Amino acid sequence: MMSTVNERITLLVTFHVKADHKEALKNALISDRYGALSEPGNISMSLYEHSDKPDILYLFERWDSRKSLDEHFTKKYAEDVFALNKTALIKPMEILYLHDIAPLPKNEIKAPFSTDTPVDLVVIFKVKDGMQDTFLKQFEKSIAHSRPEAGNIQFFLHTVPGDDKTYVLYERWRSQEAIDFHFAQPYTVELFDMFKSALEQPIEAYLNFITEIK
């Protein structure tokens, strides 16, 4: 299921790259990111490497409409990425079109301070059938409490249109101490307790710590 032309678009794109092509793809993705950030329809675009699996790269991007994303795909820097995908990847890139359940205006999306040492993670949950409402209700509470934490930069939960058992969480924290503080809070403890009954596998199977590439 795709979003309508005027609806905000959020994507998580996963690349499983061959070792001898990684540098070329990474450089193309960096150019793509910088180009995208100059486009008026772009809200944000970040490039990451999996912290434990160096063959996995991620693009996490937000656009103000499908039209803006389609225009981005016509740019040379985007076309260069698509061209490399034909030879550089172990398997085809995976694109998840996401629906942000609690979006923020562009001017309210926080960025790191120069003194931060950010900790980022993306979590792709698989929820048991029948547990979706429980999962979302608990996360609504978590979002409301987590975003105001002094150490939080971003905290976004997404549904995947057309797949009511998959949810994607993106978190960014100012430091390891900030995320440790978050994990110790009662609402986060409640969240992890809910995971035990709601998820198809233990939470550890879904956690992906990532490192930003600039």
Side-chain angles (χ1 to χ4, degrees), residues 22-196:
K22 181 178 178 181
E23 199 64 22
L25 180 61
K26 184 172 76 171
N27 288 336
L29 289 169
I30 290 171
S31 295
D32 187 34
R33 174 182 176 270
Y34 277 107
L37 293 175
S38 71
E39 296 177 44
N42 181 259
I43 297 171
S44 65
M45 189 168 186
S46 301
L47 173 63
Y48 299 96
E49 177 182 52
H50 196 293
S51 298
D52 300 318
K53 301 173 183 176
D55 63 318
I56 301 179
L57 302 175
Y58 301 94
L59 274 180
F60 185 75
E61 48 192 291
R62 300 183 183 95
W63 298 87
D64 66 6
S65 67
R66 179 74 208 188
K67 182 175 182 244
S68 294
L69 177 61
D70 288 343
E71 289 176 356
H72 169 70
F73 287 155
T74 69
K75 306 296 186 184
K76 184 180 184 303
Y77 40 80
E79 291 176 344
D80 288 345
V81 171
F82 286 122
L84 272 173
N85 286 340
K86 299 174 183 177
T87 56
L89 300 184
I90 298 168
K91 58 182 181 179
M93 65 179 178
E94 303 162 6
I95 303 178
L96 287 178
Y97 286 87
L98 308 176
H99 174 73
D100 190 339
I101 69 165
L104 292 173
K106 183 175 181 177
N107 63 353
E108 292 184 18
I109 298 176
K110 293 182 284 186
F113 299 135
S114 60
T115 53
D116 289 343
T117 53
V119 177
D120 301 89
L121 65 156
V122 62
V123 190
I124 303 175
F125 300 100
K126 292 291 184 180
V127 176
K128 293 176 182 177
D129 196 27
M131 295 298 294
Q132 291 93 333
D133 288 345
T134 298
F135 182 89
L136 285 172
K137 183 177 180 180
Q138 191 66 54
F139 251 109
E140 288 171 359
K141 179 178 180 181
S142 184
I143 291 168
H145 285 85
S146 300
R147 283 179 172 173
E149 288 184 40
N152 181 253
I153 303 173
Q154 296 187 42
F155 196 96
F156 290 93
L157 181 70
H158 312 82
T159 58
V160 179
D163 181 354
D164 67 356
K165 296 175 67 176
T166 301
Y167 299 83
V168 176
L169 174 68
Y170 170 71
E171 300 181 40
R172 169 162 258 206
W173 299 89
R174 298 199 182 279
S175 64
Q176 184 61 49
E177 292 76 16
I179 195 170
D180 289 344
F181 175 87
H182 169 69
F183 282 152
Q185 300 313 297
Y187 44 88
T188 308
V189 173
E190 288 179 10
L191 193 69
F192 275 73
D193 284 342
M194 179 270 292
F195 291 157
K196 296 174 185 176

